[in-house]
């Protein structure tokens, strides 16, 4: 960082007139040193930036501290019966344009400093009698030494647009009071500091977020661990069963399980949800064979109802979701486990057998350590994927109605994960502020998990091992 | 004798498991041939068989169902998404794996961190951004949403590129090949499995997604919907009584192209993934 700035200072200090002039007009240094096209292009960028900031984003950036003060008012002119609207502030636009504007300014400052350094470098090259690149040579460099710039520009713009800007925007929203009562364009919202985070942890007469949040958090963590490990072991066991030497028609068995992947998840999950509905086909079957009566006598379902509440009562729904997730997840795990199981060195297994190890011993002492070694990192990925497992929960439980007032108050359900709760809050309640706070919590959980176990990947110290 | 019982036991177990896994699929299939439009709650097999659901899907678009249009939309979105995403992923993976430049590691860590924000969180903000650009309610907007961020998913592909011996690239460089040439003539031809994997995955994503599509496309005209969105709407409470078996037929039809892709992918799937993750 320090080196970065001193280089910049040196360029100003030792630069000639062209270099210094490019502090003002960015392209002039290039033009002075004979790189005319490059100079024009850079100057065009500068003009474009100044135009956008001056005409569009600056007015929004100025209002960022309050997020707008003038509320929208409509006046009905009685004589002409036309409505006139005052020049109101739109908090949403201010925040969005403000974020984009600031990002642009940061990018421009980086470009500006880099530009000056580049000009200074050209000046030095010229002074030392070295060759200065022509425009064509610069272009050639873009597919060779600086190829990474060519490669990364478009994807980076895409990521900025779809990931970075929305994430920064939502993080900002977590510190505002943007909710149903403060919806632009009719109403304004403004900064409230850490208030929403406090609200997420409080439980009193009016808010139940604290109560609901801890319970949903526990269920989310519980679910992700159970879902990950149950499908993981299920997949390995199934793969082992199919790959067993004595089992015939291996391909047919495998295909039967893989077929379930071919149908999109939302179709199968909705279908299964309907099958296990209160008046669905499974329930009428259970009624027919007397299972409902039996369970009623045991006291597992309450007296008033004539069905098994597979997906409509807490407890039942939790268990069913985990079971149905087995149905969804095991074929995938089976596929990837098959490939890895086939890679286990056969001589190891053989020698273990000769030494008299039982099948169970071989499984726990050879197969599992090998599987864990190969798939360990992907287990963490799966864990994070399950924390964010929107489809299974949402599709199975979108008809679920919570019996608890406390949950209903925060528009949550007993079976919600943090992400599905977040989704309900934004989509049905327009409670963007709390949704953002929850989103940040999910991020913190995932980041902690990743840092905890993935630090090797972040450091990237293994990447040259195989090259 | 005991061994024989064990073998039979294994087959019985497999048969039971396969039965459990196939019940919903079979129900989907037989319900799609049902003459009764709602959910059949009393019988597993339809009491009256008919091909009408398929006829309705293909030839009788109404105010709710317009399957040919949905299919067309999804196909367009899938094709473009898959093209753009594949290019992005390959480009980023090559830059991160085969080139050395300042800030590379920081960029990689940054992208891993970005990937940890839940997608559901930024969804609504993406909608605001797209509205700002004026791309909501359009196929172009959906293509942008599905493909623009795809550069972040470079890790698996990078892992694969890492296994390509660097001596290949070095010798090409000595012969005077530019990085562009190395990328297009050496690395890409060697990466067939991972390319197939990326292509198929990015092609399938728009077929499966109903959340983002529902958010981005607010049009009430079924002609503007995608397959996932349309099918999802069919099981809403007000419609499910009249369209459930049509929904099943739609599910079966969507499964056909996906299965074909899976069969193609299966050959590359294991190879591509394990090749990227472990080789040694």
């Amino acid at each position: 960082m320090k080196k970065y700035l001193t280089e910049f200072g040196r360029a100003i200090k030792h630069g000639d007139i062209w270099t210094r002039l490019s502090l003002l007009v960015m392209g002039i240094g290039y033009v002075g040193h004979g790189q005319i096209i490059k100079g024009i292009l850079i100057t065009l960028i500068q003009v474009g930036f100044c135009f956008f900031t001056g005409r569009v984003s600056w007015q929004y950036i100025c209002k960022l501290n309050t997020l707008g003060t003038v509320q929208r008012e409509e006046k009905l002119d009685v004589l002409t019966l036309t409505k006139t609207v005052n020049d109101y502030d739109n908090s949403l636009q201010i925040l969005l344009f403000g974020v984009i504007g600031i990002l642009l300014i940061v990018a421009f400052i980086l470009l500006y400093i880099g530009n000056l350094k580049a000009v200074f470098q050209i000046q030095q090259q010229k002074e030392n009698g070295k060759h200065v690149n022509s425009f064509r040579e610069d272009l050639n460099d873009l597919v060779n030494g600086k190829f990474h710039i060519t490669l990364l520009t478009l994807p980076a713009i895409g990521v900025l647009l779809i990931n970075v800007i929305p994430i920064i925007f939502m993080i900002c929203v977590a510190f505002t009071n943007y909710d149903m009562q403060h919806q632009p364009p009719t109403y304004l919202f403004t900064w409230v500091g850490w208030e929403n985070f406090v609200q997420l942890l409080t439980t009193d007469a009016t808010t139940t977020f604290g109560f609901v949040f801890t319970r949903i958090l526990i269920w989310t963590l519980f679910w992700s661990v159970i879902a990950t490990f149950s499908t993981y072991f299920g997949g390995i066991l199934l793969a082992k069963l199919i790959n067993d030497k004595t089992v015939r028609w291996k391909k047919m068995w495998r295909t039967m399980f893989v077929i379930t992947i071919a149908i999109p998840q939302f179709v199968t999950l909705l279908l299964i949800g309907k099958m296990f509905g209160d008046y669905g086909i499974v329930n009428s079957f259970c009624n027919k064979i007397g299972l409902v009566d039996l369970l009623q006598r045991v006291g597992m379902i309450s007296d008033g109802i004539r069905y098994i509440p597979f997906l409509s009562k807490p407890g039942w729904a939790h268990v069913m979701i985990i079971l149905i997730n087995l149905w969804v997840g095991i074929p995938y795990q089976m596929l990837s486990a098959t490939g890895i199981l086939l890679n286990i060195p056969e001589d190891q297994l053989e020698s273990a057998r000769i030494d008299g190890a039982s099948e169970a011993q071989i499984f726990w002492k050879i197969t599992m350590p090998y599987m864990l070694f190969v798939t360990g990192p992907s287990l963490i990925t799966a864990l994070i994927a399950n924390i964010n497992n929107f489809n299974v929960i949402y599709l199975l439980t979108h008809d679920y109605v919570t019996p608890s007032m406390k949950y209903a108050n925060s528009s949550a359900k007993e079976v919600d994960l943090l992400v599905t709760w977040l989704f309900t809050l934004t989509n049905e309640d327009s409670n963007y502020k709390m949704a953002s706070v929850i989103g940040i919590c999910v991020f913190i959980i995932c980041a902690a998990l990743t840092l905890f176990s993935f630090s090797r990947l972040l450091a990237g110290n293994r990447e040259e091992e195989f090259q | 004798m005991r061994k024989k019982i064990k073998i039979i036991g294994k087959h019985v177990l497999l048969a039971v498991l396969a039965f459990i896994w196939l019940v919903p699929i079979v129900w989907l299939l037989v319900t799609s041939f049902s003459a009764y439009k709602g959910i059949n709650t009393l019988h597993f097999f339809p009491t009256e068989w008919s091909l009408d659901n398929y006829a309705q899907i293909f030839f009788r678009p109404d105010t709710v169902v317009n399957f040919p249009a949905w299919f067309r939309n999804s196909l367009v979105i899938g094709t473009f998404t898959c093209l753009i995403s594949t290019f992005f992923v390959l480009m980023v993976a090559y830059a991160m794996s085969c080139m050395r430049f300042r800030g590379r590691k920081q960029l990689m860590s940054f992208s891993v961190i970005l990937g940890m924000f839940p997608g559901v969180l930024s969804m609504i903000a993406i909608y605001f951004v797209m509205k700002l650009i004026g791309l909501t309610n359009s196929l172009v907007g959906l293509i942008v949403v599905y493909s623009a961020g795809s550069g972040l998913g470079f890790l698996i592909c990078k892992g694969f590129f890492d296994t390509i011996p660097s001596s290949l690239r070095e010798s090409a460089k000595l012969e005077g090949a530019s990085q562009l040439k190395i990328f297009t003539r050496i690395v890409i031809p060697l990466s067939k499995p991972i390319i197939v994997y990326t292509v198929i995955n990015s092609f399938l994503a728009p077929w499966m997604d109903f959340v983002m599509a529902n958010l981005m496309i607010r049009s009430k005209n079924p002609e503007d919907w995608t397959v996932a969105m349309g099918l999802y709407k069919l099981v809403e409470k007000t419609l499910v009584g009249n369209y459930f078996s049509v929904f099943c037929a739609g599910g079966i039809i969507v499964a056909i192209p996906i299965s074909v892709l899976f069969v193609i992918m299966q050959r590359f799937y294991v190879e591509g993934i394990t090749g990227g993750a472990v080789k040694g």
Side-chain angles (χ1 to χ4, degrees):
Chain A
M1 188 66 206
K2 204 178 161 197
K3 194 174 152 231
Y4 188 75
L5 286 178
T6 46
E7 268 177 42
F8 181 60
R10 222 161 58 87
I12 298 176
K13 210 166 159 194
H14 300 286
D16 62 4
I17 176 77
W18 294 115
T19 310
R20 287 190 189 164
L21 265 181
S22 54
L23 277 175
L24 210 64
V25 181
M26 284 167 70
I28 216 161
Y30 295 115
V31 177
H33 296 298
Q35 296 185 320
I36 296 169
I37 302 180
K38 202 172 169 189
I40 293 172
L41 285 179
I42 291 277
T43 313
L44 279 181
I45 292 179
Q46 190 186 8
V47 171
F49 167 78
C50 291
F51 188 76
F52 178 78
T53 308
R55 289 296 300 275
V56 185
S57 68
W58 188 249
Q59 48 169 330
Y60 292 108
I61 293 175
C62 287
K63 289 178 189 162
L64 261 185
N65 58 341
T66 57
L67 292 176
T69 46
V70 188
Q71 195 163 323
R72 182 186 156 107
E73 274 165 26
E74 265 179 20
K75 278 202 190 97
L76 186 68
D77 195 328
V78 194
L79 287 175
T80 56
L81 283 178
T82 48
K83 277 182 190 169
T84 50
V85 179
N86 64 337
D87 186 20
Y88 63 97
D89 286 334
N90 184 334
S91 305
L92 179 69
Q93 257 176 27
I94 292 172
L95 190 57
L96 200 54
F97 270 110
V99 167
I100 295 174
I102 287 177
L103 277 181
L104 266 180
I105 290 176
V106 171
F108 180 75
I109 290 175
L110 289 179
L111 180 75
Y112 184 78
I113 295 175
N115 176 63
L116 193 77
K117 282 194 212 163
V119 173
F120 183 57
Q121 208 180 355
I122 293 170
Q123 178 200 331
Q124 279 178 321
Q125 278 173 348
K126 229 177 182 180
E127 281 165 1
N128 298 339
K130 279 188 195 151
H131 173 70
V132 173
N133 274 356
S134 69
F135 187 65
R136 185 177 292 265
E137 284 165 324
D138 270 333
L139 281 185
N140 266 335
D141 212 24
L142 274 181
V143 297
N144 209 345
K146 287 184 182 146
F147 191 40
H148 60 272
I149 296 179
T150 324
L151 287 178
L152 291 179
T153 306
L154 272 179
I157 292 175
V159 169
L160 266 179
L161 197 70
I162 292 298
N163 295 80
V164 177
I165 292 175
I167 287 174
I168 295 179
F169 176 81
M170 287 319 274
I171 291 176
C172 291
V173 167
F175 297 94
T176 67
N177 59 358
Y178 184 11
D179 57 15
M180 186 90 94
Q181 282 85 41
H182 299 91
Q183 281 212 73
T186 322
Y187 298 100
L188 299 165
F189 62 82
T190 187
W191 302 106
V192 293
W194 293 91
E195 207 174 88
N196 300 324
F197 289 85
V198 175
Q199 199 193 345
L200 187 67
L201 299 173
T202 47
T203 313
D204 53 35
T206 50
T207 56
T208 54
F209 274 103
F211 174 86
V212 175
F213 176 68
T214 39
R215 273 162 191 75
I216 290 189
L217 179 66
I218 291 168
W219 162 237
T220 305
L221 294 177
F222 179 77
W223 147 264
S224 64
V225 171
I226 296 284
T228 307
F229 285 94
S230 61
T231 52
Y232 181 70
F233 284 110
I236 292 177
L237 288 176
L238 184 62
K240 254 190 73 69
L241 188 61
I242 292 178
N243 285 331
D244 194 289
K245 273 201 196 103
T246 55
V247 169
R248 298 174 66 186
W249 315 301
K250 287 188 172 53
K251 232 185 176 153
M252 179 197 81
W253 295 119
R254 212 170 286 147
T255 318
M256 284 175 127
F257 290 98
V258 173
I259 281 177
T260 58
I261 301 181
I263 297 170
Q265 231 180 46
F266 73 94
V267 174
T268 47
L269 284 173
L270 284 170
L271 186 87
I272 294 176
K274 296 282 176 243
M275 283 177 89
F276 284 102
D278 288 345
Y279 302 101
I281 187 161
V282 178
N283 257 316
S284 49
F285 179 72
C286 289
N287 252 325
K288 219 178 266 172
I289 62 168
L291 194 64
V292 180
D293 288 329
L294 183 75
L295 288 175
Q296 214 147 33
R297 218 161 295 150
V298 183
M300 279 180 75
I301 42 180
S302 48
D303 285 332
I305 50 179
R306 290 296 304 142
Y307 52 83
I308 304 176
F310 285 113
L311 289 168
S312 54
K313 284 268 146 47
W316 277 100
H318 290 108
V319 174
M320 280 315 290
I321 288 168
I322 288 174
L323 289 181
I324 293 173
N325 184 58
L326 281 180
W327 189 91
V328 175
I330 283 183
Y332 284 100
Q333 289 293 343
M334 193 252 324
L335 262 191
S336 63
T338 304
I340 301 165
L341 280 178
L342 292 177
N343 277 344
I344 297 182
E346 188 59 37
D347 47 346
Q348 271 187 26
L349 300 177
E350 203 51 48
S351 57
R353 252 175 233 131
I354 290 170
D355 285 344
S358 69
E359 282 297 316
Q361 272 174 324
I362 291 177
F363 180 73
W364 286 112
K365 293 282 158 66
I366 297 179
T367 312
M368 274 323 287
Y370 184 86
M371 286 296 297
L372 279 174
F373 172 74
V374 175
T375 55
S378 73
L379 262 183
I380 299 292
T381 325
L383 206 63
I384 291 179
N386 271 325
I387 291 179
N388 290 312
N389 198 333
F390 181 82
N391 270 5
V392 171
I393 303 284
Y394 183 76
L395 290 173
L396 286 179
T397 63
H398 68 293
D399 288 337
Y400 181 100
V401 181
T402 175
S404 149
M405 270 313 287
K406 280 185 170 166
Y407 278 96
N409 250 344
S410 308
S411 28
K413 299 179 250 185
E414 283 88 347
V415 285
D416 265 336
L417 299 182
L418 287 173
V419 282
T420 51
W421 187 23
L422 191 168
F423 184 77
T424 324
L425 282 175
T426 51
N427 249 34
E428 281 159 30
D429 267 20
S430 304
N431 195 344
Y432 300 110
K433 53 172 193 176
M434 293 315 282
S436 302
V437 175
I438 295 167
I440 291 174
C441 292
V442 175
F443 166 73
I444 291 172
I445 297 169
C446 296
L449 261 177
T450 311
L451 281 181
F452 177 65
S453 56
F454 243 100
S455 46
R456 275 170 53 205
L457 182 124
L458 276 174
N461 51 5
R462 276 181 56 218
E463 61 182 356
E464 267 145 19
E465 214 165 83
F466 304 115
Q467 287 193 348
Chain B
M1 190 60 205
R2 242 185 97 191
K3 212 171 173 191
K4 222 170 199 174
I5 292 175
K6 221 173 167 185
I7 294 173
I8 292 173
K10 274 178 185 164
H11 282 86
V12 170
L13 180 62
L14 265 179
V16 171
L17 286 175
F19 176 75
I20 294 174
W21 255 262
L22 286 181
V23 163
I25 307 295
V26 173
W27 199 51
L28 182 74
L29 190 66
V30 294
T31 312
S32 75
F33 290 109
S34 163
Y36 174 62
K37 296 284 179 192
I39 306 177
N40 196 343
T41 54
L42 294 175
H43 308 282
F44 186 85
F45 291 100
T47 38
E48 228 179 295
W49 299 77
S50 111
L51 280 170
D52 187 59
N53 300 316
Y54 290 93
Q56 187 175 355
I57 273 185
F58 284 120
F59 307 116
R60 294 204 312 266
D62 59 16
T63 50
V64 187
V65 185
N66 192 341
F67 201 81
W70 299 348
F71 203 86
R72 202 172 51 235
N73 290 341
S74 286
L75 198 65
V76 170
I77 294 174
T79 313
F80 279 98
T81 305
C82 141
L83 276 177
I84 299 174
S85 314
T86 311
F87 274 114
F88 277 15
V89 168
L90 289 176
M91 280 154 70
V92 177
Y94 182 81
M96 294 300 184
S97 167
C98 305
M99 299 196 63
R100 293 292 176 265
F101 52 90
R102 217 161 64 169
R104 185 182 67 101
K105 290 212 163 140
Q106 284 87 327
L107 268 183
M108 272 165 56
S109 311
F110 183 64
S111 64
V112 171
I113 293 171
L114 269 188
M116 275 181 297
F117 280 96
V120 186
L121 171 70
S122 42
M123 234 171 237
I124 194 79
I126 291 176
Y127 174 72
F128 291 143
V129 172
M130 291 323 246
K131 208 170 164 187
L132 195 76
I133 316 176
L135 285 180
T136 49
N137 261 330
S138 74
L139 293 189
V140 181
L142 267 184
I143 294 171
V144 171
V145 168
Y146 289 134
S147 59
S150 60
L152 279 182
F154 67 91
L155 268 180
I156 292 180
C157 189
K158 175 189 175 291
F160 189 89
F161 284 176
D162 281 345
T163 62
I164 297 176
S166 59
S167 54
L168 276 179
R169 283 185 277 120
E170 298 294 327
S171 52
K173 210 184 238 171
L174 286 180
E175 308 252 328
S178 67
Q179 290 279 0
L180 177 68
K181 270 228 167 86
I182 298 177
F183 180 47
T184 51
R185 298 280 163 79
I186 295 180
V187 173
I188 288 191
L190 283 175
S191 321
K192 214 167 154 197
I194 204 72
I195 292 176
V196 172
Y197 171 78
T198 319
V199 164
I200 291 182
N201 264 352
S202 51
F203 180 76
L204 287 185
W207 294 84
M208 315 270 193
D209 169 78
F210 59 94
V211 185
M212 202 68 219
N214 257 331
L215 194 67
M216 291 286 297
I217 295 190
R218 298 288 170 101
S219 160
K220 294 268 176 274
N221 182 359
E223 241 178 77
D224 302 329
W225 299 347
T226 67
V227 169
M229 223 182 126
L231 287 182
Y232 182 72
K233 293 211 171 174
L234 289 188
V235 284
E236 274 173 6
K237 268 191 190 127
T238 47
L239 295 176
V240 71
N242 292 323
Y243 287 99
F244 186 70
S245 52
V246 179
F247 163 82
C248 291
I252 293 288
I253 290 174
V254 175
I256 294 170
I258 297 178
S259 322
V260 172
L261 287 180
F262 263 120
V263 171
I264 301 171
M265 183 154 83
Q266 216 178 15
R267 258 187 306 151
F268 296 98
Y269 190 78
V270 176
E271 207 183 331
I273 295 304
T274 52
V278 281
K279 206 172 211 175

